[in-house]
Amino acid sequence: MKIALIHDWLITYGGAERVLKEIFSLFPDADVFTLISDADCLEQIGIPALRVKDSFIAKLPKAKTKYRSYLALFPLAIEDFDLSEYDLIISSSFSVAKGVMVNSNQLHICYCHSPVRYAWDLYHQYLREANLEKGLKSWIAKSILHKIRVWDAISSNRVDYFIANSNYIAKRIKRVYNRNAVTIYPNVDVENFQLVEKKENFYFTCSRLVPYKRIDLIVEAFALMPDKKLIVIGDGPEMKKIRSKAKPNITLMGFQPNNVLHEYMGKAKAFVFAAEEDFGIVPVEAQAFGTPVIAYGKGGVLETVKDGETGLFFDSQTTDAIINAVNLFEKRSMDFLPESIRKHAEQFNTTRFNSQFKTFVESCITASKI
């Protein structure tokens, strides 16, 4: 059986790429197709460069740094791949990967991290943050995103089976594509995190500093709690804005290697998380250290954090909500037992993902008789 793996782009090594790494480990003879790839990212995943085929977008000017500027070409680029010689096609999709062209003799399984966020759920937020709400550029952007939505909905029919990375995304797949999906949670390397039972007197958060992660909100909240220490690791376009909001009780460390990040994550009295994520790997990593999570109670985090046992939720993305949650945590901090939190996180391990994913693919192959 010839197998093709499709991933949107392989430029940075994030959560979706960690999933792809495990899928490739299950199907090491597969060929990999992507809009554009970077050698360092491929090395981290463990995919030989000779097994990867980029789209024509990789040949366009400044493609590796400005590839999002070619959004209007993404559907054409993904459809340009000739996969006619493959029997099984597995797409790992958060943008357009699931839209590859297939025929009736092929089986296409899509692991969907989310329908295209900036075309659907984050549409108005994307336009607002990009200052594209008015004017000619706004009209062009809205026109492109409208066409992306139409194409995205139509191309969902090219998928035989959908896998969602959370029940939250399964509901989104149903709403956007009117398709059912089986949930298989992403792999988290909990095996590589050690329980830290002795916590220190600081709160911690980490992320790429982009608007939807709402690190600015966390910093604003702690600026109003001068008696509580916050450490932030991460860098990105919001750094200048966030630095201007920081007070002496807040330490912005910028980008740090994983060993430093993990040291602080393990020793923190709690990890603070204000984003609405599709799944959210980092809160699971924090729990793998036995660190409780204070999180915005919406999205995939509702499936990974047990309210009152491994963390606490706040119900709105406001400074007051974060402050109230932190104060409640202070009163109940003895209720959160590092060993129990660690045990909860272990259910999201890599072995579980590999077993569930392989079993599901095999069942689809049997049902499809390819």
Side-chain angles (χ1 to χ4, degrees):
M1 182 181 295
K2 290 206 67 174
I3 302 173
L5 303 183
I6 322 299
H7 193 80
D8 294 289
W9 49 81
L10 294 168
I11 297 295
T12 56
Y13 186 65
E17 290 68 40
R18 297 183 197 185
V19 171
L20 181 67
K21 179 178 181 178
E22 293 308 314
I23 295 175
F24 185 75
S25 75
L26 293 173
F27 305 99
D29 295 327
D31 293 322
V32 179
F33 296 81
T34 187
L35 294 178
I36 183 170
S37 64
D38 176 78
D40 290 340
C41 183
L42 294 180
E43 184 177 355
Q44 287 180 286
I45 298 172
I47 301 176
L50 293 175
R51 302 290 292 281
V52 179
K53 182 174 181 180
D54 289 352
S55 73
F56 65 77
I57 287 178
K59 299 178 181 179
L60 299 177
K62 298 182 179 180
K64 284 194 176 183
T65 56
K66 301 292 184 181
Y67 55 93
R68 288 185 177 86
S69 300
Y70 298 112
L71 173 63
L73 298 177
F74 283 4
L76 178 62
I78 211 73
E79 289 181 346
D80 195 45
F81 288 130
D82 181 4
L83 305 180
S84 56
E85 64 180 283
Y86 296 93
D87 304 296
L88 173 62
I89 296 163
I90 301 174
S91 57
S92 167
S93 184
F94 51 85
S95 183
V96 297
K98 66 146 185 54
V100 290
M101 300 292 285
V102 295
N103 61 53
S104 58
N105 296 317
Q106 296 171 306
L107 173 62
H108 180 188
I109 300 170
C110 174
Y111 189 95
C112 186
H113 304 277
S114 175
V116 191
R117 297 178 186 89
Y118 36 83
W120 296 101
D121 289 60
L122 298 183
Y123 171 70
H124 293 289
Q125 180 180 328
Y126 167 76
L127 293 174
R128 183 168 57 253
E129 291 171 356
N131 197 26
L132 291 171
E133 294 181 284
K134 297 179 180 179
L136 179 60
K137 288 185 178 180
S138 170
W139 183 87
I140 294 172
K142 290 175 181 178
S143 177
I144 290 172
L145 290 172
H146 172 74
K147 291 177 180 178
I148 290 286
R149 277 194 299 276
V150 172
W151 176 87
D152 191 42
I154 292 172
S155 66
S156 66
N157 294 309
R158 301 170 189 170
V159 177
D160 295 300
Y161 297 95
F162 273 103
I163 303 172
N165 70 356
S166 64
N167 295 329
Y168 176 67
I169 289 302
K171 291 179 182 178
R172 189 182 291 176
I173 290 170
K174 182 65 175 178
R175 184 178 68 247
V176 173
Y177 302 143
N178 196 27
R179 297 287 302 278
N180 294 322
V182 171
T183 297
I184 298 179
Y185 293 121
N187 48 289
V188 183
D189 293 331
V190 295
E191 303 89 341
N192 295 324
F193 300 105
Q194 300 298 316
L195 172 65
V196 179
E197 296 194 65
K198 186 177 181 181
K199 304 299 182 182
E200 298 183 6
N201 190 29
F202 67 89
Y203 292 86
F204 178 70
T205 191
C206 62
S207 172
R208 178 162 167 73
L209 304 185
V210 293
Y212 88 94
K213 295 290 188 178
R214 300 315 312 267
I215 301 299
D216 62 323
L217 200 63
I218 297 172
V219 169
E220 286 177 12
F222 276 85
L224 296 171
M225 297 185 286
D227 58 322
K228 296 176 177 62
K229 184 177 179 181
L230 174 71
I231 293 177
V232 182
I233 287 181
D235 203 351
E238 292 266 286
M239 175 58 91
K240 184 177 180 180
K241 172 185 174 182
I242 291 170
R243 185 177 285 118
S244 70
K245 298 174 182 290
K247 300 297 183 182
N249 62 312
I250 299 168
T251 302
L252 303 179
M253 296 182 65
F255 173 81
Q256 296 292 327
N258 281 339
N259 63 315
V260 176
L261 187 153
H262 291 162
E263 180 182 357
Y264 283 97
M265 185 180 285
K267 292 180 179 179
K269 65 193 301 183
F271 178 79
V272 188
F273 189 73
E276 180 184 342
E277 285 281 19
D278 306 325
F279 173 74
I281 285 178
V282 179
V284 179
E285 292 179 339
Q287 291 173 91
F289 283 111
T291 301
V293 175
I294 301 172
Y296 174 46
K298 193 171 182 181
V301 74
L302 292 174
E303 300 167 53
T304 62
V305 176
K306 297 179 72 173
D307 193 27
E309 294 183 37
T310 70
L312 290 174
F313 294 132
F314 52 92
D315 59 9
S316 63
Q317 289 175 309
T318 62
T319 55
D320 285 345
I322 294 175
I323 291 170
N324 291 336
V326 170
N327 288 332
L328 178 60
F329 175 81
E330 295 267 332
K331 294 176 182 177
R332 298 181 54 187
S333 60
M334 299 303 293
D335 296 340
F336 301 100
L337 306 176
E339 189 173 345
S340 297
I341 295 171
R342 160 74 188 192
K343 187 174 181 180
H344 169 71
E346 287 174 351
Q347 67 180 296
F348 300 100
N349 65 74
T350 299
T351 301
R352 181 270 322 161
F353 172 83
N354 289 351
S355 176
Q356 290 182 349
F357 191 89
K358 186 177 181 180
T359 299
F360 182 78
V361 171
E362 288 174 349
S363 68
C364 294
I365 291 172
T366 301
S368 302
K369 299 178 181 179
I370 62 170

